[in-house]
């Protein structure tokens, strides 16, 4: 006999009743290092790092992180760095806007999460 094929109706994609429901949980992120560069203020910092090929930054891992964590990294051309804008002021006194006008879009407003803006809720 031929195995039954999965049903393709609207009920086949429902979440099982015993599945965890999303909740308002808190996630703790632990810093493992710092990123620093010669740019101390946003004024004068290049928007595109590729436009200033001589610009450099440094990632310094905390002493509690074993150097072994880096073994084999030289075999890759790129790494992902997740970071937190800890000096971000959060936008204006009115709060962070939900829509902004990036310079590249010539005045068109888009949602802040579709941009690289550091000012995020």
């Amino acid at each position: 006999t031929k195995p039954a094929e999965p049903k393709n109706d609207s009920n086949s994609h429902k979440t099982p009743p015993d599945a965890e429901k999303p909740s308002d949980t808190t996630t703790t992120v632990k810093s493992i290092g710092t990123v620093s560069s010669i740019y101390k203020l946003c004024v004068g910092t290049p928007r595109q790092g590729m436009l200033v090929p001589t610009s450099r930054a440094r990632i310094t891992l905390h002493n509690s992180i074993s150097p072994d964590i880096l073994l084999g990294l030289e075999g890759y051309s790129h790494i992902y760095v997740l970071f937190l804008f800890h000096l971000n002021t959060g936008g204006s006194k009115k709060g962070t806007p939900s829509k902004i006008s990036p310079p590249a879009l010539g005045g068109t407003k888009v949602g802040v999460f579709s941009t690289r803006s550091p000012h995020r809720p």
Side-chain angles (χ1 to χ4, degrees):
T1 63
K2 183 178 171 184
E5 292 192 22
K7 291 182 179 181
N8 197 10
D9 61 25
S10 61
N11 291 332
S12 64
H13 298 287
K14 288 189 177 178
T15 304
D18 59 340
E20 286 189 38
K21 303 280 187 234
S23 63
D24 291 334
T25 59
T26 301
T27 301
T28 302
V29 178
K30 181 180 176 186
S31 170
I32 65 166
T34 58
V35 179
S36 57
S37 78
I38 62 170
Y39 304 105
K40 302 300 178 197
L41 300 172
C42 62
V43 177
T45 301
R47 290 184 185 271
Q48 294 283 338
M50 297 295 286
L51 298 177
V52 186
T54 57
S55 66
R56 296 287 180 263
R58 175 181 304 269
I59 298 174
T60 305
L61 298 177
H62 297 318
N63 290 335
S64 61
I65 304 299
S66 169
D68 291 344
I69 202 168
L70 302 173
L71 288 176
L73 190 60
E74 69 278 359
Y76 297 90
S77 62
H78 294 76
I79 62 170
Y80 288 102
V81 177
L82 304 181
F83 60 95
L84 175 69
F85 288 111
H86 71 289
L87 298 178
N88 185 355
T89 59
S92 69
K93 291 181 181 178
K94 297 177 187 176
T96 304
S98 58
K99 292 173 78 175
I100 63 170
S101 302
L105 296 181
T108 302
K109 286 194 170 201
V110 295
V112 71
F113 284 157
S114 67
T115 71
R116 294 183 308 219
S117 172
H119 301 290
R120 296 166 176 264

